[in-house]
Amino acid sequence: MLGRLPGTPRCRRLIEWNKACSPLRRHGGPDEKKDPSTARQQPTPPTDQLCQDRLLCQNRLLCQNRLLFPDRLLFPDRLLRPKPPPLPETLSEHSPPMKQLPTRRPTEPIRAVVRGSAPPQTARAIPAVRRPRKHRAILFVLSGPQQGAVFPLARCASIGRGDGVDVGLVDESISRGHARITRDDDTIFIEDLGSRNGTFIAEERISGLHRITDGEHIRFGHSTIVKFAMVDELEERALLSLYESTLRDPLTRLFNRRYFDDRLFSEYSYSHRHSSSLAVLMVDIDHFKRINDMHGHQAGDVVLKMVAATIQRVMRPEDVVARYGGEEFVVIARNTSLRNAQILSERIRHRIEQLELAWSDRPLRVTASVGVAAFGEAGVFESADALVAAADEALYEAKHLGRNRVCFRAGRDGKLSVPVPMTTVELGPPSNRRTA
């Protein structure tokens, strides 16, 4: 191996020193007597500089001959730690053998050390995250009037557009009792209940029990397509929260305009098909811009929240209350005649008038005007949009007559009425009305 060393001065000095310090020369030849008095004087050993030269030659030798890891390099600053002991001044046959240079352990990998760099970090074991069990079944609406809706499924869930179903789908092509999903341990079945327009999986109409798997698409009727999925509890809560955020107003937590439009269409179709009554109420806060200008938008937000909560407390669970836009609210009252809609509107107006908000050490009071339109015995409207337009006209008339009052419109070619008086039987003792 020494013959392959580069012909540099340092390497030549190293070769001479290796010859001088070889075991045969240090301890004498085979014919020499091992007498200290006759021992040959050895040359002066190299200093620390020569020791460092030897390390450099070893590094070059390892890299040139490709003995160990040709893509890495042993640097002398790593091998010199700890620093080897100083060599004795003279070597004799009684001198102890030289200690070998510190070498790495066989199992220790060779790493390059760059001056000024941080020491290599040891990899820490990352604890394994247990994957939760997906044991909750849901239906996610992909297309149809309720696109984006999420319906959790019980062990036995009925599907349709009727009143007593577990999953209510708003679609005219879906039967009242359209299908049923049952679960037996980890096996889920769907059954068509004799619907008119059928239940389809992979564009094939099913009849009787049919097994469904995770991720399968199911079509009910003509346009509603849902996805069946198995999720864990965390995923179910996240999907329900995301769906709620698309339907609710972030400030008042009432339904938004999108939900109102979809629900109004379904309610109007139901009333028209069953010849039942339907009422729409438009509620507007009087002089709301003046509240924002005088007290600030924060006070306006508090007023909106209080009015929304007041209307919500008056309504029935099956009624729909939504924020129509700005300071306007809208109510859908199912199976409500014109007379009952007038009573409900006056009750809402009276409750809002009784509100009192302490803002900047002085009370803040608000009033509201209400417009009512009813579909049913009192008259009919051509469409759901016509019903809303009639309620909006009635609201405009209430504003024109002085605000803080109720006006209504009934059916086709109906006339705007005079303000409805508040009766003591329905609403208790009358309050002092103020015209804002």
Side-chain angles (χ1 to χ4, degrees):
M1 294 177 60
L2 293 177
R4 296 188 180 183
L5 290 174
T8 59
R10 290 185 176 179
C11 294
R12 286 197 296 269
R13 291 199 304 268
L14 179 62
I15 293 171
E16 295 175 0
W17 180 75
N18 282 335
K19 290 180 180 180
C21 298
S22 60
L24 187 62
R25 298 287 300 273
R26 285 167 47 198
H27 299 285
D31 298 334
E32 282 185 318
K33 295 181 180 180
K34 299 186 180 184
D35 188 1
S37 60
T38 61
R40 183 184 306 177
Q41 296 293 329
Q42 302 295 333
T44 304
T47 59
D48 293 344
Q49 180 63 32
L50 189 56
C51 182
Q52 189 173 2
D53 294 343
R54 181 181 181 183
L55 295 177
L56 290 173
C57 291
Q58 285 184 346
N59 289 329
R60 292 194 185 98
L61 181 63
L62 292 175
C63 293
Q64 287 181 2
N65 293 325
R66 308 288 182 176
L67 296 179
L68 295 173
F69 303 99
D71 57 337
R72 299 180 182 237
L73 182 64
L74 292 175
F75 286 85
D77 57 348
R78 182 173 178 85
L79 293 178
L80 286 178
R81 290 194 301 262
K83 188 175 180 181
L87 296 174
E89 296 182 359
T90 44
L91 294 176
S92 64
E93 61 182 7
H94 297 287
S95 300
M98 294 182 60
K99 294 183 179 180
Q100 296 182 356
L101 293 174
T103 57
R104 67 178 183 87
R105 297 177 182 177
T107 58
E108 180 184 358
I110 298 177
R111 298 184 179 91
V113 179
V114 182
R115 292 182 180 273
S117 62
Q121 300 290 337
T122 57
R124 295 182 179 180
I126 301 176
V129 179
R130 242 178 124 183
R131 190 172 184 180
R133 181 170 170 261
K134 296 185 177 182
H135 60 284
R136 295 179 180 268
I138 64 168
L139 287 181
F140 182 74
V141 181
L142 299 177
S143 66
Q146 295 171 281
Q147 184 178 16
V150 180
F151 298 99
L153 299 178
R155 297 193 66 87
C156 182
S158 57
I159 303 171
R161 59 177 176 85
D163 295 333
V165 297
D166 300 316
V167 179
L169 298 177
V170 182
D171 191 346
E172 292 299 322
S173 63
I174 295 178
S175 303
R176 294 183 182 88
H178 194 97
R180 179 172 53 237
I181 292 180
T182 57
R183 182 174 182 178
D184 184 11
D185 294 335
D186 293 336
T187 307
I188 297 93
F189 298 95
I190 186 171
E191 179 184 7
D192 187 82
L193 301 179
S195 61
R196 175 180 297 179
N197 296 314
T199 303
F200 299 83
I201 296 179
E203 297 303 327
E204 293 184 4
R205 185 165 184 169
I206 64 172
S207 60
L209 286 176
H210 184 88
R211 182 177 179 180
I212 55 177
T213 58
D214 186 13
E216 204 152 21
H217 290 189
I218 308 170
R219 178 163 64 89
F220 299 107
H222 297 322
S223 59
T224 299
I225 301 177
V226 301
K227 177 182 178 180
F228 174 78
M230 298 296 296
V231 297
D232 55 54
E233 184 178 358
L234 182 62
E235 291 174 336
E236 182 185 16
R237 288 202 306 265
L239 289 174
L240 290 174
S241 176
L242 183 62
Y243 177 62
E244 282 291 322
S245 65
T246 61
L247 301 180
R248 298 282 182 177
D249 177 64
L251 178 63
T252 61
R253 302 309 301 168
L254 299 178
F255 290 111
N256 55 19
R257 176 72 177 273
R258 172 192 170 188
Y259 180 84
F260 167 76
D261 292 338
D262 295 340
R263 185 67 180 269
L264 178 64
F265 177 78
S266 62
E267 293 291 343
Y268 177 85
S269 301
Y270 179 86
S271 299
H272 189 272
R273 185 169 52 252
H274 296 277
S275 300
S276 60
S277 57
L278 179 67
V280 174
L281 286 64
M282 299 284 290
V283 183
D284 184 83
I285 302 176
D286 298 330
H287 298 297
F288 184 73
K289 187 177 183 300
R290 184 185 302 174
I291 297 175
N292 285 334
D293 295 339
M294 295 180 60
H295 304 280
H297 290 276
Q298 293 182 351
D301 292 344
V302 175
V303 169
L304 288 174
K305 293 179 182 178
M306 292 178 60
V307 172
T310 301
I311 299 175
Q312 188 70 44
R313 284 193 294 267
V314 175
M315 305 310 298
R316 301 170 298 179
E318 62 270 20
D319 297 331
V320 177
V321 184
R323 185 180 178 184
Y324 197 71
E327 66 274 16
E328 292 184 354
F329 303 91
V330 64
V331 176
I332 302 176
R334 178 189 282 189
N335 294 326
T336 303
S337 63
L338 180 61
R339 178 59 183 165
N340 291 334
Q342 296 176 20
I343 297 173
L344 176 62
S345 302
E346 188 61 34
R347 183 177 292 117
I348 292 175
R349 188 208 63 80
H350 176 70
R351 294 285 182 89
I352 294 175
E353 188 181 20
Q354 299 299 316
L355 293 177
E356 182 175 340
L357 172 64
W359 190 265
S360 300
D361 298 333
R362 53 181 177 177
L364 177 61
R365 294 180 179 273
V366 294
T367 59
S369 302
V370 185
V372 185
F375 171 89
E377 297 177 356
V380 294
F381 294 89
E382 291 82 2
S383 63
D385 294 336
L387 182 63
V388 176
D392 191 54
E393 291 178 5
L395 175 63
Y396 179 79
E397 185 67 17
K399 292 282 188 181
H400 180 71
L401 293 177
R403 295 182 174 85
N404 193 23
R405 63 191 65 227
V406 177
C407 290
F408 66 92
R409 185 159 189 160
R412 185 181 301 162
D413 299 330
K415 301 297 182 180
L416 293 174
S417 73
V418 296
V420 180
M422 181 171 53
T423 61
T424 57
V425 177
E426 296 164 336
L427 301 175
S431 60
N432 296 326
R433 295 191 179 183
R434 297 173 300 154
T435 302

